[in-house]
Amino acid sequence: MGILDGKTALVTGGSRGIGRAIAERLASDGALVAVHYGSNETAAKEAVAAIEAAGGRAFAVRALLGTPGDVDTLFAGLERGLEGRGLDIVVNNAAIQGYGASTLEGATEADFERTFAINARAPLFIVQRALPLMSEGGRIINISSGVTWFAIPEVVYAMTKGALNVMTRSLAHVLGERGITVNTVSPGITETDMNQWLVDSTESQRKVAAMVALGRHGQPDDLADAVAFFASPDSRWVTGQTLEVNGGLWLG
Ligand code: NDP
């Protein structure tokens, strides 16, 4: 018996990195998981196969966020996979960093629009479209970033995550009367494709470890376990909150 038996979950960007770990964890807790992805179908299929090999249930859904009709495409695939079931858990995880295209010097207006469309606009309209499928006890979990409280050069990316934190509080306010909680999980520096500089360099890993109280960088599972709490009935009295899951970043 899993704590999420009978529940359903959508994890955007569930095909790689933190999203994949979240998808695997929610499935191992018993949920049927929609593994959303944008373009890497192989990674999505691998994530679904890994969940099924572990005894869980999942299906892949493709929708390139930030393009016209993105949320319509997502929900067409999602509702096909749900086969008439409702939706209990939404994890807004997919995002792009942008790197040079996210800096003050490098960003164009088109880069700004695209980054906001993927990282902030899509999560809002995904929630809007999810609500008719959700009932009391529903869970919305937004994956933000520590860059909302420490500074990085990628200002546009950081702005999108600030918007997400604000969205969490506003949605917690309006969805409380429906018994739906809305919370943010805010990762620190985590080993994924987004951080190739960390994967590739033991010197970078050593520097990061020195910044972190617990003496290492994060792994996707570290985030997934925090998301599992917000997805579970144990978090019933928590809403509108941001949990920093970073091993004590800048406390090292
Ligand atoms: P990855 O780059 O490893 O994975 C990103 C995921 O999002 C993939 O599944 C990818 O699918 C999907 N995705 C990206 N762009 C789009 C798009 N336009 N449309 C649809 N899907 C898309 O990211 P991480 O796992 O590192 O990050 C996950 C979350 O955690 C993000 O919100 C990120 O901002 C946040 N975060 C990460 C940190 C870290 O150190 N890694 C630190 C702080 C926050 P596909 O491959 O098909 O495009």
Side-chain angles (χ1 to χ4, degrees), residues 142-221:
N142 299 315
I143 308 301
S144 182
S145 171
V147 300
T148 54
W149 58 267
F150 66 84
I152 58 166
E154 290 82 9
V155 56
V156 177
Y157 172 74
M159 288 170 73
T160 66
K161 294 301 188 179
L164 211 55
N165 287 8
V166 172
M167 187 181 98
T168 289
R169 294 180 60 78
S170 295
L171 295 186
H173 170 64
V174 295
L175 296 179
E177 65 184 18
R178 288 186 50 176
I180 295 172
T181 68
V182 189
N183 290 289
T184 295
V185 168
S186 178
I189 301 165
T190 312
E191 186 176 319
T192 69
D193 297 341
M194 190 179 271
N195 286 335
Q196 205 55 48
W197 56 270
L198 180 68
V199 177
D200 291 344
S201 160
T202 49
E203 177 58 13
S204 298
Q205 291 172 19
R206 195 193 55 73
K207 282 186 182 155
V208 169
M211 291 155 48
V212 174
L214 293 176
R216 64 171 174 84
H217 61 265
Q219 293 295 337
D221 287 355

Side-chain angles (χ1 to χ4, degrees), residues 12-19 36-41 63-66 92-96 114 118 143-146 157 161 187-195:
T12 70
S15 56
R16 292 191 289 114
I18 293 170
H36 161 261
Y37 69 103
S39 48
N40 189 339
E41 187 178 8
L64 193 58
L65 302 179
N92 277 310
N93 165 79
I96 57 165
R114 177 163 180 266
I118 296 166
I143 308 301
S144 182
S145 171
Y157 172 74
K161 294 301 188 179
I189 301 165
T190 312
E191 186 176 319
T192 69
D193 297 341
M194 190 179 271
N195 286 335

